[in-house]
Amino acid sequence: MATVAAPSHVFGLRAGVKNNLLYLDEQTIIFPCGNNCVRYNIDQKFQRFIPGTERSQGMHALAISTNRRYLAVSECREKATITVFDLEQEQNRRRKVLTGGEMVVDEFVCMAFSPDSKYLIGQAGGPDWTLFLWMWEKKKVMATVNISNNGPINQVSFNPQDNSKICVLAGTETGQLMMFESGRLRWEINVTSVQKTESESKQQYSDEPFSALPQVTAIVSYSNGFACSMGQGTVCLFEKTEKADLYKKTRVIKIPPKRFSNDLSLTEKQKISTLCISPSEETLVASTDLGQLYSIHLSIAELQKGECAYFEYLSHSFHNNIITGLSTCIRKPLIATSSLDRSVRIWNFETNVLELYKEFQEEAYSVALHPTGLYILVGFSDKLRLMTLLMDDIKIFKEFTIRNCRECTFSHGGHLFAAVNGNVINIYSTITFEEILNLKGHNEKVQAVAFSLNDSCLVSCGMDGAVYEWNTLSGTRESESILKTCSYTGVAISPDAKTFFAVGTDCSLKEIHNSQILKEMSSRDVVCTTVALSRSGRTIFIGTSTGTLRVIKYPLMIQNDWIEYQAHAGPITKMVITFDDQFLITVSEDGCLFIWKIIDKEGQGLKREKELIYSEEILTNKLDFDEKSKMLLELNAKVEELQEDNKCQLSLKDTEYNKKINELSEKCMQQIISLNAEKEVLKKEKDNQQEAHNKAISDILERHDKELHDMESSNNQKLMLEYEKYQELQLKLHNVQQEYEQQLHSMEESKTQALEDMMQSYEAKMEEKMILVNQYQDESQQRFKEFEEHIRQEEEDTDAEIHDIRMKYEQNLREEKKAHSKLKVELDTTKKRFHDLQREIENGNLEIEKLKQEVQRLQAVIKSLENDITGLKTAIQNRDGIIQDKEKNIFQLKKKNDTLNKTLEVMEFRAEYMQEQIEPKENEIQQQKDQMVEMEGELKEFHKTNIQLELKIAELNLKLKTKDTEVHKELKKVQDTGVLVQRFKGDLYKCVKYIQDPQRLKENIQELYKKYVQPSDVVEKPGEDTDVPKENSRHREHYENVIIKLKKQLSRDTNIFQAKNTKLMKDNVTLMKEINDLRQELHTVRMQLRSFESQSSLNKHIKGSANTKDLGTDSAGRTSLMMQQNFEETEKVIQVQRMEIQRLKQKILSQTSSSRTKLPPL
């Protein structure tokens, strides 16, 4: 089945693309990586890819429509193109490809969609700097503008309210922010003045010279203001002030220093290239010139107002320079990469996470992971270092004196590693770190090395065009293939270690077997940089200098057949396949790492021969482990201290809040009194205003009726006059039309008659002349020779006459045409007059309709005003009702105050009584806790007894085994004796034959004695028991019965013990729940007491007159009865709970007494 590759995940960002970060929705962003655009889901950490066009030389800019449906990508091939993708479809279908038409355009620097997403503008590059406007769905160029005199253009955009206006922003280096409105400068601020204090404070403690002025490289707007970059690694948020068209800096957000970075200034000096805000305006995302993605929640920034907030990585930290090394391991799903940015990173290709990251002082040229995934080999510019991968760090373990090691690799067993030192390959032991072999043979630098699966041989290729096979045991060269016209860059070895595949600068793939090139596949003028072979040996993967990935089926076909994928934006430097043939990893000079899923054409993963189980062990340093354990203990202690402090603070806050509540209640009462007074004043003002309003409305209505009557009369007169004019004009028009039609008809008739007369006269003349010509021809035939000259003269005369006749005829025609044209002009003028009159009539009709509409509108206004008047009347009535209700409520509240004052005294007495009852309950709870501690101690003793019983059982099992061995020995003895007895019986039977011959009988008996009686058997006890096997079997049965009884007794005791244990645990749980419930009830009672106290303090300030006291006596008596009933119910509940606690105590005591009884002896 054919094998293909599908992109699974990518780590990296293409930094040179304009507007390289876009929000598709709240969870998804789009950014360029390699030669693709990535749709990254921030929550699910999932990626989807939008591939670039074939043979693309790179992306230049991105743009997304306002409805977030279409994506425009500017690319450069033979000529610059803009591709528009539909993001709502599953496969991101390519909709249109736009070009500059007949104009030659090298690149489009920036783009923007119109607010309605119908138009697209694109800014071409220098030196012409032409601005294009497309109706992109029809691929139609609407307009072009040449702005070559205005300098370099950084960004273009449409007016959000008007599609016909375009804004062109030119980048400056002065660091100024300017706001223009309708072509005028409305607001301006200098970035240098904003950051002056910060830069001065930094330079006081640094010896470095002052850097260049901060530049504004990115701006993005949102509803409250805008965000812009303020120099290196800094973003400022500006918000609108109360003054119109003015903005104020509110917050500063900076890029944080890297955790394991040696050069902190480099991370802080990153330039912000793009800023983007999510659709809900909750998150700000930024990209930098070093290819990093950062994000921050604006809510966090608002919390840190006045302080400097810091960005966080959107996903992970990426490489920002050429990736030089790549490696994987067998026991863990890890990828190791090294780069010229002086960093080494460890990635996880299953979880798509950056596991470890560290920066060094020197540049890293190569990297190799040990098969266990616990060690890493890195080639630096000064040394080759073997390092250990700890839980959160990479530490150096051993150093080797190999400079500029461009290639290194571990064997598949992990016991060896090979390192390239120029044109020499050194092989070391990973156990002793000694140099085992020194392989010399290449004349120039070695570019690639690879071990076979069984680690018996090593293949190398170099710039000298040689491919060598080395024996890793003896160090001898077993085979070689040299092609001096090619400089090899990559080599791969087949699973059987018999065939090699090499690629180089001659744009071809070579299959080498037994030192000979069997097949050669051309790559069509594209240099192949690296090659990899799957472990199944059926698929070859090739990386090219254009950044594409090619998949070739093995064995190689005669025709050049492959599948090509758009991958990177630069040459692929390294390529590795994981041990289980599931993933392909590629890296490139563009600093991106691609993870490809190797699948078949049906979209399913390749079948594995064996399921790989990855290990999860991690190396840690002992000192780090001890420090972390100490830290945990200290943190736990701090947590306990903080909890105690919080409790104290809460109690203090409760007292403070109670005081504040009392103060607020006093203020509220004062405000209520003042509001009542204001209410009465407002009521009087409202009545006065209502009377004035009614008078004004009546005056307006009278005026309106008069104006309406006048307008109707004047409009009717105007309509009558216009209608009379219209009828007169219609009559005139009708008469003019009839006159012109009659004139035209008469002119046409005269013209046709004159033409017919002229034609008839000329035809008659022509017939006469033709007759004369015929006569002259007859005569000329007879006298041709004599009268030839005469005939010529006659012909000339006739020609002249014909010419004169034609000239006259043509003059007549011209005169008639002129007359016809004059008539046409007159007709056109009359038609124009007719049309003008029609337009005047239509305009008059429109004015009449407008007047009618104004009348209708005025009537509607009158109706609306009447409705408003009725609404105001109803509102006034409602407000009067509300005021009456409020007065009733105030009266009722005064009554309730009196009753609450009376119940407060009762509640205070009850509170004192409840506090006296709470203290013994707390003592009981403490006693129960002590009992719990004792029970836990008893549980530990039970566990100890269980362990002793298990040891006794083990001893008994050993004894059983020894008894079984003894029984087996006895059985063997019995079997041997039985065989001897049978033999003895046979020999005795033979002796019985010689019973008549005593001499022979004696000899046979002596032979039997010698044969069966041995000297060890002579010393035997007299009268030995013959029932020994029976006795043994009886003993065995006894012991077996005893063991079975012991096992049953042990299982029964353990079950009883477990049941008791579970009961104790359940009872403990129920007790704890009841204790917690009691605490909650205590807390609620205390809260009720506090609320009653606060209400009492309030009621003291709101004591009414003596009349209100008399009215509230009945309600006070009722509320006191209700409170007494509530207290009686609570006392009953407390008594029931006490009874249950005593019952549970008795249960626990009985269970503890039973649990303390010893188990029966075995």
Side-chain angles (χ1 to χ4, degrees), residues 299-314:
S299 57
I300 295 168
E302 285 178 2
L303 289 171
Q304 296 177 350
K305 226 172 202 179
E307 299 179 0
C308 182
Y310 288 96
F311 281 105
E312 294 178 351
Y313 282 110
L314 183 65

Side-chain angles (χ1 to χ4, degrees), residues 418-420 423-427 437-439 442 446 449 458 460 470:
V420 174
N423 57 356
V424 180
I425 302 167
N426 298 322
I427 297 178
L437 295 173
N438 194 350
L439 307 178
H442 286 281
V446 178
V449 292
L458 180 129
S460 64
W470 309 88

